[in-house]
Amino acid sequence: MIDILLNTSTTERRAALRENGRVTEIFVERPDENRIAGNIYKGRVKDVLPGMQAAFVDIGREKNGFLYRDELIGYKQKQEPLEEKEKRSISEFITEGQTVLVQVLKEEFGKKGARLTENVSLSGKYTVYLPDGGYTGISKKMKEENREGWRTWAESQLREEEGVIIRTVCEHLDVDIVAADIDYLRADWKEILTLAAKTHTPGLVVHGGGIVEQLLRDYSMDDIHQITADYFPAVQQLKRMFRFEEKDTKKVVHYQGRENLFSAEGIEKEMERALKPNVWLKNGGFLVIEKTEALTVIDVNTGRYTGGSDLMETVRRTNLEAAAETAAQLRLRDISGMVVIDFIDMKNDSHKEEVIQELKKALKHDRTTTNVAGMSPLGLVEMTRKKVRRGVEDLLLETCSGCRGTGRRISAETLAYQAERYIHECRDMESDALVIELPKRVYDWLQTDGSFLLDTWRARYAFAIFTISGLSDRDIVIRYTGSKTEARRRKEVLEKQHEARD
């Protein structure tokens, strides 16, 4: 069973997924992150590249989006043998200057623009509606004897080129409930088309939603045990969404503790561990996870685990545990792209196959697409994990200037949001002011790029907030709470002390 924890009471919105007591996924959303996956845009084709079977589309952002031929509705709906269809050029289906309605499949990364599709999908509680998909999909998790009946029923509900995917949760539902879900999404699509007609080109038509909406689209409420939220408006929003399902409404819990929800539930420590290169295994072995520009390397070590007298068995057990933990870490850290796993060398082919199967089995719990290529004679396993959003490390860390870019540290921005959570825990105090000491790089960030956050604090909290630049690179300390006059005096004294020590 799944528990979702929503820490959205401050500017940085965070969510954690906990399965059977273990944190398996972490999501972070910031004001400047501007996630666009799932967004629908009205764009204009800027360039068609037949050699790449793709087109660049201006969607009103700094980088043009990338639209492959196979993601064009005209290509998808072309009725001819696949062998002949694949010979066709993208130029037959799209032209420069053409206006297109597209949805973002993948976020922008580095110099790459967003990956787009014309095959828009709208997610509901029970189905995924594809306005021009021309495809009927039934969850493979359903029992085989039920899948064909649902397929026949679903096809009878579709009009023209519509498509639909029936979720697992539908297996034992009344068809009227599922039909109502399709009708709801169909009405949404009509509204989107109306909005698109009024939207200037290029421009955003519909926002895909934040982390809360994303989690509720990706997971069935039947699999969710509880949703705990620390922000009352979020609790109200969730209960409105589930107002027709009383059993789901009861799963929403409002956390009212003074301590930050993630601290109270141990999520903060999990996030800290997810930023460290070493991961200890239960048997005493450990993984070393190192990210480079081109790929992520995971090295498996026996560490303190010596096993019994059989070396082969010791290696086998360590590699099996490492395979399961590797899959968990890829998901927790949201590592994507090429991954190379250096398992401890095994001579026995059956042991190698057992480790590969254990890795594949563990990866089945990952919603993100993965592909395992197999094991080389040296014990190296190559695999890929689809890139959908920025990983936890990329989001929370920054390049360390002190070591000329060879290492990384917690970013000033991340620490600023941590400081906000400390301030938020003082929200009910009766004092008129607060003095908080910040690392110099955090203090400087708040005076420049993060000035909007200082403005947010001043508007949100009734007490005055005095910030001072400290000497530590990491520590955040609330130095005083009390009267405004004394807070101002303490600030001046501390600043002079720091100047004298600097």
Side-chain angles (χ1 to χ4, degrees):
M1 295 298 290
I2 297 168
D3 287 314
I4 295 176
L5 297 101
L6 302 174
N7 175 212
T8 60
S9 57
T10 51
T11 307
E12 182 181 65
R13 291 154 52 91
R14 305 185 297 176
L17 206 69
R18 196 161 56 189
E19 298 179 16
N20 300 320
R22 175 171 181 171
V23 178
T24 55
E25 292 187 58
I26 294 168
F27 302 83
V28 179
E29 188 176 76
R30 292 173 176 170
D32 62 339
E33 265 303 288
N34 197 12
R35 295 186 184 277
I36 62 171
N39 286 5
I40 298 175
Y41 290 91
K42 187 176 181 182
R44 177 172 285 110
V45 179
K46 300 298 289 183
D47 200 6
V48 179
L49 309 173
M52 297 178 66
Q53 293 289 31
F56 285 107
V57 181
D58 180 5
I59 55 174
R61 297 180 61 81
E62 186 177 343
K63 303 184 190 78
N64 290 333
F66 202 62
L67 180 63
Y68 282 104
R69 178 201 62 184
D70 293 15
E71 295 296 340
L72 295 171
I73 292 298
Y75 178 80
K76 284 181 174 291
Q77 294 179 353
K78 187 74 173 176
Q79 299 296 316
E80 64 182 11
L82 184 60
E83 192 175 299
E84 293 299 318
K85 190 173 173 180
E86 289 185 337
K87 294 178 183 177
R88 294 190 175 277
S89 169
I90 187 173
S91 300
E92 298 180 42
F93 305 98
I94 197 169
T95 58
E96 187 177 328
Q98 181 179 334
T99 298
V100 289
L101 193 62
V102 290
Q103 187 172 39
V104 176
L105 288 176
K106 286 174 63 175
E107 297 281 353
E108 301 167 338
F109 287 96
K111 297 179 181 179
K112 295 181 179 179
R115 183 170 171 183
L116 310 173
T117 181
E118 270 196 315
N119 190 27
V120 174
S121 63
L122 305 178
S123 295
K125 185 174 181 182
Y126 306 113
T127 65
V128 178
Y129 175 67
L130 311 167
D132 299 294
Y135 165 79
T136 303
I138 310 297
S139 169
K140 292 181 180 178
K141 294 182 181 178
M142 278 193 190
K143 292 180 181 177
E144 192 60 40
E145 59 266 28
N146 294 332
R147 295 183 74 234
E148 199 51 45
W150 272 107
R151 185 182 302 280
T152 302
W153 176 84
E155 289 174 349
S156 72
Q157 301 297 304
L158 300 179
R159 306 169 186 170
E160 299 174 347
E161 296 296 336
E162 288 181 337
V164 70
I165 298 171
I166 304 294
R167 297 182 186 272
T168 310
V169 68
C170 296
E171 187 164 15
H172 303 296
L173 285 180
D174 188 290
V175 292
D176 290 342
I177 295 175
V178 183
D181 194 53
I182 295 173
D183 284 339
Y184 177 82
L185 295 172
R186 187 179 279 137
D188 267 2
W189 176 239
K190 288 182 179 178
E191 180 64 25
I192 289 169
L193 291 177
T194 301
L195 288 171
K198 300 174 183 177
T199 302
H200 291 292
T201 308
L204 174 66
V205 179
V206 174
H207 196 282
I211 51 176
V212 177
E213 293 84 353
Q214 179 184 334
L215 284 168
L216 294 178
R217 280 200 305 264
D218 291 345
Y219 292 94
S220 164
M221 282 302 293
D222 289 347
D223 295 330
I224 294 173
H225 168 251
Q226 184 171 290
I227 302 175
T228 305
D230 60 3
Y231 187 46
F232 187 59
V235 173
Q236 291 177 307
Q237 177 193 1
L238 288 165
K239 289 193 172 184
R240 279 197 301 271
M241 290 173 65
F242 305 141
R243 62 189 181 278
F244 299 120
E245 298 282 352
E246 187 178 351
K247 63 181 178 63
D248 292 342
T249 303
K250 291 179 179 178
K251 294 179 181 180
V252 181
V253 175
H254 183 208
Y255 170 79
Q256 301 181 63
R258 177 178 293 276
E259 186 182 17
N260 162 30
L261 173 62
F262 270 30
S263 296
E265 293 290 335
I267 311 297
E268 297 284 8
K269 290 182 179 178
E270 289 290 339
M271 291 182 72
E272 287 180 16
R273 280 195 283 267
L275 297 174
K276 294 179 179 178
N278 287 16
V279 179
W280 287 97
L281 304 176
K282 291 179 181 178
N283 69 6
F286 65 95
L287 308 178
V288 180
I289 303 174
E290 296 286 351
K291 192 173 185 298
T292 71
E293 184 74 21
L295 49 79
T296 299
V297 180
I298 301 176
D299 186 36
V300 182
N301 300 272
T302 52
R304 296 190 295 261
Y305 180 56
T306 57
S309 58
D310 189 340
L311 175 61
M312 289 178 61
E313 184 61 18
T314 299
V315 170
R316 170 184 166 273
R317 289 184 178 180
T318 302
N319 281 340
L320 284 172
E321 188 175 342
E325 186 59 34
T326 292
Q329 290 298 320
L330 292 176
R331 189 178 172 197
L332 177 65
R333 299 169 185 239
D334 204 4
I335 294 170
S336 56
M338 175 70 76
V339 180
V340 175
I341 311 163
D342 185 7
F343 286 103
I344 304 168
D345 189 28
M346 295 174 288
K347 305 298 182 186
N348 192 313
D349 288 341
S350 66
H351 289 180
K352 292 180 182 180
E353 183 58 27
E354 190 178 2
V355 170
I356 289 293
Q357 292 307 316
E358 180 66 20
L359 177 62
K360 289 181 177 179
K361 176 184 172 184
L363 287 170
K364 287 182 179 178
H365 299 289
D366 196 338
R367 293 175 298 117
T368 301
T369 304
T370 58
N371 180 43
V372 179
M375 184 178 291
S376 75
L378 296 177
L380 297 175
V381 172
E382 293 180 4
M383 65 165 289
T384 58
R385 187 171 184 271
K386 186 177 179 181
K387 186 176 287 187
V388 178
R389 59 180 184 270
R390 289 174 67 190
V392 173
E393 184 178 322
D394 288 338
L395 188 64
L396 301 183
L397 301 184
E398 66 182 7
T399 301
C400 175
S401 57
C403 56
R404 298 183 181 179
T406 59
R408 305 188 84 186
R409 62 181 178 178
I410 298 292
S411 70
E413 183 179 6
T414 298
L415 289 173
Y417 286 115
Q418 183 177 319
E420 181 181 20
R421 285 187 281 276
Y422 289 173
I423 294 169
H424 191 69
E425 289 177 2
C426 300
R427 61 192 178 278
D428 296 326
M429 71 175 187
E430 296 180 0
S431 302
D432 295 326
L434 170 152
V435 179
I436 185 167
E437 183 178 312
L438 306 166
K440 182 179 184 305
R441 59 195 177 95
V442 179
Y443 180 88
D444 291 344
W445 183 82
L446 285 169
Q447 308 308 312
T448 53
D449 295 344
S451 59
F452 73 92
L453 197 54
L454 277 177
D455 293 339
T456 299
W457 297 351
R458 288 167 183 146
R460 177 178 291 165
Y461 301 108
F463 48 84
I465 299 170
F466 294 90
T467 60
I468 60 171
S469 175
L471 301 175
S472 168
D473 183 67
R474 173 72 190 272
D475 294 338
I476 299 167
V477 184
I478 293 179
R479 291 296 187 187
Y480 173 77
T481 59
S483 72
K484 189 179 294 188
T485 301
E486 179 62 15
R488 188 175 286 108
R489 190 190 73 80
R490 296 276 184 107
K491 171 181 166 69
E492 291 172 357
V493 169
L494 286 167
E495 285 176 338
K496 288 178 181 178
Q497 289 176 351
H498 290 166
E499 285 175 11
R501 289 176 58 189
D502 194 4

